[in-house]
Amino acid sequence: MCTVFLSLATAGLSPAQAAAGDCGDAAALVQQAYPKARKSTDGTSFTLEPHTSIAQTLRDGDMPFGLVCKVWPAHDELLLVAVPLLDSSQSSDDRHVGDIELLVVDRNSLQVRQRLLQPDLMTDDAIAIREIEFDTGHYGLAPGITAFGLRIGMANHSQPNPFSETDLRLYAVDGNGLRVVLAGMIVAGSGGEGDTNCAGSFHSTQVTLTMGRAVHHGYHDIHVVERSDTDNPFPDANGECQSHPGKSTGHTYRLRYDGSRYPVPAALNALEP
């Protein structure tokens, strides 16, 4: 059994910033993948008719809407690229509407080998997208078949009722295309209710994945371990905020490939876009 680890970003950079650094000539990538795209006058973005916007780099602020790229360690001649495609006619500072297109690109020629459009993955509202990154842990599904992951982190802006969630999707190369083998599973989350000063009740969840030995329909099982923690902080007699963690609990799941994909346990189903 081998554990799948999420690669760490370059020190001092957010995961999104570190991943964007693998893009190299982002403009060349976009022009190769979208020959009909028109470059903006300031050179920072492209437009696809009628009103789809593609940013080359991270936008100022906390919303990673630029290209995200990462060299695929399992096939280091290839570059994984996530292209946020925003509908500029419907998006605003408070709400965003759009898709993500995934590309597998030859690092030397920039030729796109595989691509897959994922509708609505850039659509958010009160629960806003905060981070997009590739997960290139060794998901060895079968001999000669290694999947890669896309993690999307979302959170709200509420102090009394904070909420966050990171979802994982796994993709495998299928001939000239890509296909989803695991769709929308929660791998991290937190939430709760508090008075914004100290007192409250909060919970968090972390999920780890390991590849198992058992095989169904030609693909190895995936073992999932979910750990949940709680905390009920409140001020002590001196007014200092003190943490009061509860006992950690855990659940385990075994994901078995059904011939098409790995069904996600109901308790770990991600938010729908």
Side-chain angles (χ1 to χ4, degrees):
M1 190 180 293
C2 64
T3 304
V4 178
F5 293 98
L6 176 64
S7 299
L8 295 177
T10 303
L13 297 178
S14 73
Q17 289 171 323
D22 280 352
C23 289
D25 189 343
L29 270 174
V30 173
Q31 289 173 326
Q32 184 75 21
Y34 305 94
K36 295 183 179 180
R38 293 182 290 106
K39 200 173 204 178
S40 64
T41 54
D42 61 6
T44 62
S45 64
F46 288 82
T47 300
L48 291 172
E49 295 295 344
H51 37 64
T52 298
S53 176
I54 303 173
Q56 295 179 53
T57 57
L58 295 179
R59 195 185 74 172
D60 291 337
D62 60 355
M63 304 298 282
F65 291 153
L67 266 64
V68 177
C69 308
K70 190 170 186 180
V71 175
W72 192 359
H75 304 279
D76 60 8
E77 76 281 10
L78 300 177
L79 183 69
L80 304 173
V81 184
V83 185
L85 302 169
L86 282 177
D87 185 335
S88 57
S89 69
Q90 300 186 64
S91 298
S92 65
D93 288 340
D94 300 320
R95 179 174 182 265
H96 308 91
V97 176
D99 311 322
I100 291 178
E101 187 158 27
L102 297 174
L103 312 175
V104 179
V105 176
D106 184 290
R107 290 176 64 192
N108 292 322
S109 66
L110 299 186
Q111 291 289 329
V112 177
R113 291 195 181 181
Q114 289 89 17
R115 65 197 307 160
L116 178 67
L117 182 67
Q118 292 284 265
D120 298 324
L121 282 195
M122 278 304 301
T123 298
D124 62 16
D125 203 335
I127 311 297
I129 295 172
R130 299 304 184 102
E131 189 170 81
I132 300 169
E133 60 180 326
F134 283 107
D135 179 345
T136 55
H138 188 71
Y139 295 101
L141 305 182
I145 301 177
T146 300
F148 66 85
L150 185 74
R151 295 188 179 222
I152 299 178
M154 308 181 74
N156 65 9
H157 296 279
S158 173
Q159 289 186 324
N161 299 101
F163 174 88
S164 69
E165 180 177 294
T166 299
D167 307 330
L168 172 68
R169 291 164 176 82
L170 293 180
Y171 303 87
V173 172
D174 187 6
N176 293 325
L178 291 171
R179 64 187 182 90
V180 181
V181 293
L182 178 73
M185 187 175 77
I186 300 169
V187 290
S190 64
E193 183 175 359
D195 63 4
T196 73
N197 291 317
C198 174
S201 178
F202 304 98
H203 59 84
S204 64
T205 298
Q206 291 289 332
V207 171
T208 58
L209 288 75
T210 59
M211 300 305 302
R213 294 184 182 276
V215 173
H216 290 85
H217 296 281
Y219 280 24
H220 287 279
D221 292 355
I222 300 176
H223 296 288
V224 175
V225 177
E226 176 192 21
R227 172 178 166 166
S228 299
D229 292 283
T230 60
D231 191 13
N232 295 279
F234 59 84
D236 61 17
N238 297 318
E240 296 292 329
C241 191
Q242 301 294 334
S243 177
H244 292 273
K247 184 177 180 180
S248 295
T249 60
H251 292 86
T252 59
Y253 308 89
R254 178 178 291 184
L255 309 187
R256 295 177 176 175
Y257 188 68
D258 65 6
S260 175
R261 62 179 59 190
Y262 292 91
V264 176
L268 296 179
N269 272 323
L271 288 172
E272 290 296 325

